[in-house]
């Protein structure tokens, strides 16, 4: 199975500053159709997860453009510019290239200073 | 507005069964694959099962294969997860989600397996 490793485990950010979260895959997530099957989700405290980014760099519906995704075939970054209080929670990357099973990273907790 | 509402959770003894339901609205249910994802207390997310739009193909993680059955009733816009031979390690909040890539999630339902 593909393993996704996120870093850091937690990050503390001053509101208005930027934050970056890394996700590294044990295998390339680039499909034969040229699609990179890497997704980002945010789980706010006490809530269900919500999709932020699909196919590595595409913003999901309703997600502020402060969020952006980038990367290569195996190394990915979620960047949050000008962090706001509503961005607090746990961020997960996930892959659906090799499916089943879909796999998630271990999560990165974002807190405010 | 897409809405997914799970039900059917609760406390169950090891070895017993439980059936979860997920009522969908706000989209054409029969056009989409659906999935179940779980989260053990204080742990991360774990994909459980997926069923394609017409129910003709299903996929499971290895640890639930042969014990869990995902199904759907497109006429009722409802997704199901039949869970048999439950184990303590199945204790988790279970979420239903739209698409294999999980673009919308329900609020989750808690399943506790304990004697």
């Amino acid at each position: 199975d593909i393993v996704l490793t996120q870093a850091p485990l937690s990050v503390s950010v001053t509101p208005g500053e930027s934050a970056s979260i890394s996700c590294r895959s044990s295998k390339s997530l680039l499909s034969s159709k040229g699609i990179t099957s890497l997704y980002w989700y945010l789980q706010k405290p006490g809530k269900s997860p919500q999709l932020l980014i699909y196919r590595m760099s595409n913003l999901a519906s309703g997600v502020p453009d402060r969020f952006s995704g980038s990367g290569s075939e195996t190394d990915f970054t979620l960047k949050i510019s000008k962090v706001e209080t509503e961005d607090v929670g746990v961020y997960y990357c996930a892959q659906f290239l090799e499916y089943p099973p879909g796999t998630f990273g271990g999560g990165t907790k974002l807190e405010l200073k | 507005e897409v809405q997914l509402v799970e039900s059917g959770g609760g406390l169950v003894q090891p070895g017993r069964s439980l059936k979860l339901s997920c009522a969908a609205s706000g989209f054409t249910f029969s056009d989409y694959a659906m999935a179940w994802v779980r989260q053990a207390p204080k742990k991360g997310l774990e994909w459980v099962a997926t069923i394609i739009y017409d129910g003709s193909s299903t996929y499971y993680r290895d640890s639930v294969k042969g014990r869990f059955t995902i199904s759907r009733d497109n006429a009722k816009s409802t997704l199901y997860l039949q869970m048999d031979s439950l184990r303590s390690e199945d204790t988790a909040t279970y979420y239903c989600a739209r698409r294999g890539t999980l673009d919308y999630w329900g609020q989750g339902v808690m399943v506790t397996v304990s004697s």
Side-chain angles (χ1 to χ4, degrees):
Chain A
D1 296 354
I2 293 177
V3 176
L4 298 178
T5 303
Q6 288 186 232
L9 289 179
S10 67
V11 59
S12 184
V13 184
T14 301
E17 299 290 309
S18 295
S20 290
I21 298 170
S22 168
C23 177
R24 177 164 291 177
S25 174
S26 61
K27 293 177 64 174
S28 170
L29 298 184
L30 180 63
S31 74
S32 58
K33 297 180 179 179
I35 294 170
T36 304
S37 190
L38 188 281
Y39 295 71
W40 290 98
Y41 301 87
L42 165 60
Q43 186 172 29
K44 296 182 180 181
K47 301 292 187 182
S48 54
Q50 61 182 97
L51 178 65
L52 295 176
I53 302 285
Y54 64 96
R55 297 180 179 178
M56 188 176 72
S57 59
N58 297 278
L59 213 58
S61 176
V63 175
D65 60 7
R66 300 182 287 103
F67 292 88
S68 62
S70 62
S72 63
E73 295 185 20
T74 58
D75 289 277
F76 308 96
T77 301
L78 174 71
K79 183 175 180 180
I80 314 163
S81 61
K82 298 178 183 178
V83 168
E84 298 186 3
T85 54
E86 64 182 24
D87 300 336
V88 166
V90 180
Y91 291 80
Y92 295 93
C93 58
Q95 71 80 24
F96 301 106
L97 178 67
E98 290 190 354
Y99 189 58
T103 50
F104 291 90
T108 296
K109 186 174 185 178
L110 186 144
E111 299 174 313
L112 298 181
K113 285 182 181 176
Chain B
E1 178 193 5
V2 172
Q3 285 201 317
L4 300 168
V5 180
E6 301 94 336
S7 60
L11 173 63
V12 61
Q13 293 179 326
R16 303 298 291 266
S17 299
L18 204 61
K19 187 171 185 177
L20 306 182
S21 299
C22 171
S25 61
F27 64 101
T28 304
F29 182 73
S30 57
D31 285 349
Y32 291 86
M34 297 293 295
W36 288 98
V37 177
R38 68 185 180 185
Q39 186 172 36
K42 304 296 185 184
K43 298 294 186 182
L45 301 170
E46 183 175 81
W47 170 80
V48 174
T50 295
I51 185 168
I52 70 168
Y53 70 103
D54 64 354
S56 61
S57 291
T58 57
Y59 308 91
Y60 301 92
R61 70 177 303 104
D62 285 348
S63 62
V64 308
K65 214 173 286 185
R67 300 189 299 122
F68 289 13
T69 303
I70 188 172
S71 63
R72 63 192 297 159
D73 185 335
N74 284 346
K76 295 182 178 180
S77 297
T78 302
L79 175 72
Y80 302 101
L81 185 66
Q82 175 69 45
M83 303 184 293
D84 299 324
S85 303
L86 281 161
R87 305 168 180 169
S88 58
E89 55 263 37
D90 296 319
T91 294
T93 296
Y94 285 74
Y95 298 98
C96 70
R98 193 181 75 165
R99 289 187 188 272
T101 50
L102 319 174
D103 62 350
Y104 287 92
W105 299 59
Q107 85 287 353
V109 63
M110 185 67 200
V111 173
T112 302
V113 184
S114 175
S115 54

